[in-house]
Amino acid sequence: MSTDRLTIERVRGVFPPIAVGLLLIAWAGEGVWGAAPVASSKPVEAAAPDSPEVLRTLIRQLDSEQYAVRQRAADRLRELARRPETASALAHEVQRVLHAADTSFEMRRALESLSAHLPQAAEALPPAVTAEEIDRLVRQLEHDDFGRRAAARRRLEWLAGHPELVCPILLSVKARLDTEGLPVDARRWIEPVYRQTRRAWLTSDSKRWVLPPLSEAQIARWIDDLVRPVDEGQGARTELGPQRAMRELSDAMARDEYTERIRQALEARLAQPGLEGPAASRLGQLLDL
């Protein structure tokens, strides 16, 4: 009979069954019978230290409610960042989480600090991104939580760096900006994303642009909105018409097939008598592009 078995038989002869059961549970927890100890909050690094499993566990722990767990994970990640053999894999995981739309503000701040000490991660192609996801990210720019807004902005700007996505993002952002009654705070978040996306669009290959065609009626309507006087009593509401017209005409003039047509229409309107100073100035700004 083994020593462990003999010990159990002796205990059963002395203590009641309930007490024996409690003793056996306690001994098992302490590893008396060679059982695994109770799991701790420390990351299990049975795998290689640069494996996705280990790195993702450490990164998740940066969002722990326990300060000690967050601190231990941060220390371990900094250690891995200093190792040439693990830094590249860590850089890839850090960028993946930074580009996610649900990364918390606290985790994002910790990872951005860490990324300053990591090599440049290879640019990864995004997974299939639907129009619904893009619209959802644009609406997330209006979220009550600052961290969610920041996460959406970073992901949209990253996605806009991919030629096949820049046009859908540009259209979605502009559609939201054109929404009547859009809160001022939301507009302050969306407009920088529009400007960044527009820069990415203008520097991309125009042969890959997929945009809706423009009609003569659309162009004429935008020019009408551009020169329409702003009603001071209506405030920001009537300012949206000229702002939208300036945005749409500027973007349209970047498309070679519309540049000359719009330029001629602007010159014809500018030559008409009776234009107020601000309206003529806006037409001149477009002609100077």
Side-chain angles (χ1 to χ4, degrees):
M1 181 181 296
S2 69
T3 303
D4 291 347
R5 184 67 179 171
L6 181 61
T7 302
I8 295 173
E9 293 300 327
R10 288 174 178 172
V11 168
R12 283 176 175 167
V14 176
F15 297 99
I18 293 178
V20 172
L22 293 174
L23 284 170
L24 291 177
I25 292 172
W27 287 344
E30 294 174 3
V32 171
W33 312 125
V38 177
S40 71
S41 59
K42 293 183 178 180
V44 178
E45 294 198 21
D50 61 344
S51 71
E53 175 191 356
V54 170
L55 297 178
R56 289 172 187 176
T57 297
L58 288 169
I59 290 172
R60 281 195 302 270
Q61 288 180 345
L62 293 174
D63 235 3
S64 172
E65 294 181 357
Q66 301 177 41
Y67 172 79
V69 174
R70 296 197 305 271
Q71 191 60 43
R72 185 166 56 242
D75 290 344
R76 180 62 175 145
L77 286 168
R78 283 193 291 269
E79 178 186 342
L80 294 174
R82 289 192 294 267
R83 297 183 182 179
E85 66 272 20
T86 56
S88 294
L90 179 56
H92 174 78
E93 287 300 321
V94 166
Q95 289 303 310
R96 183 185 65 81
V97 178
L98 284 175
H99 292 149
D102 56 353
T103 301
S104 70
F105 176 73
E106 291 76 12
M107 181 184 288
R108 183 176 301 280
R109 184 170 57 179
L111 292 179
E112 285 176 343
S113 175
L114 181 66
S115 66
H117 306 284
L118 290 169
Q120 184 68 36
E123 185 71 11
L125 291 175
V129 178
T130 63
E132 290 75 16
E133 180 185 349
I134 291 172
D135 289 342
R136 187 168 59 251
L137 286 168
V138 172
R139 293 302 299 266
Q140 192 173 318
L141 294 170
E142 305 170 45
H143 200 280
D144 292 338
D145 182 73
F146 175 86
R148 296 293 300 277
R149 297 197 300 271
R153 176 174 175 173
R154 173 137 188 173
R155 181 162 178 80
L156 282 167
E157 291 179 348
W158 174 63
L159 292 175
H162 296 81
E164 67 275 17
L165 296 174
V166 67
C167 287
I169 294 173
L170 184 71
L171 293 174
S172 180
V173 170
K174 290 204 296 183
R176 192 61 188 152
L177 283 174
D178 290 346
T179 303
E180 187 173 328
L182 184 68
V184 173
D185 187 57
R187 191 172 295 279
R188 288 172 180 163
W189 275 85
I190 298 172
E191 284 179 342
V193 176
Y194 163 70
R195 290 193 292 269
Q196 177 66 26
T197 304
R198 188 175 190 271
R199 283 193 291 269
W201 170 60
L202 292 174
T203 56
S204 64
D205 184 358
S206 60
K207 294 178 181 178
R208 304 185 66 174
W209 293 355
V210 180
L211 295 166
L214 303 177
S215 66
E216 297 291 343
Q218 278 180 301
I219 295 171
R221 186 169 61 252
W222 288 334
I223 294 176
D224 287 341
D225 288 343
L226 190 65
V227 301
R228 183 174 291 116
V230 174
D231 186 345
E232 298 294 340
Q234 293 294 323
R237 183 174 181 179
T238 57
E239 290 180 8
L240 292 180
Q243 288 176 2
R244 178 173 55 242
M246 179 67 78
R247 183 167 54 244
E248 293 293 354
L249 288 167
S250 298
D251 290 350
M253 290 185 72
R255 300 166 66 177
D256 291 341
E257 65 269 34
Y258 297 106
T259 304
E260 190 56 33
R261 191 187 314 176
I262 295 174
R263 184 174 295 278
Q264 292 176 3
L266 292 171
E267 290 174 344
R269 180 59 64 91
L270 190 59
Q272 294 179 2
L275 277 181
E276 295 184 356
S281 176
R282 289 193 289 269
L283 291 174
Q285 288 177 36
L286 282 173
L287 287 170
D288 289 340
L289 293 178

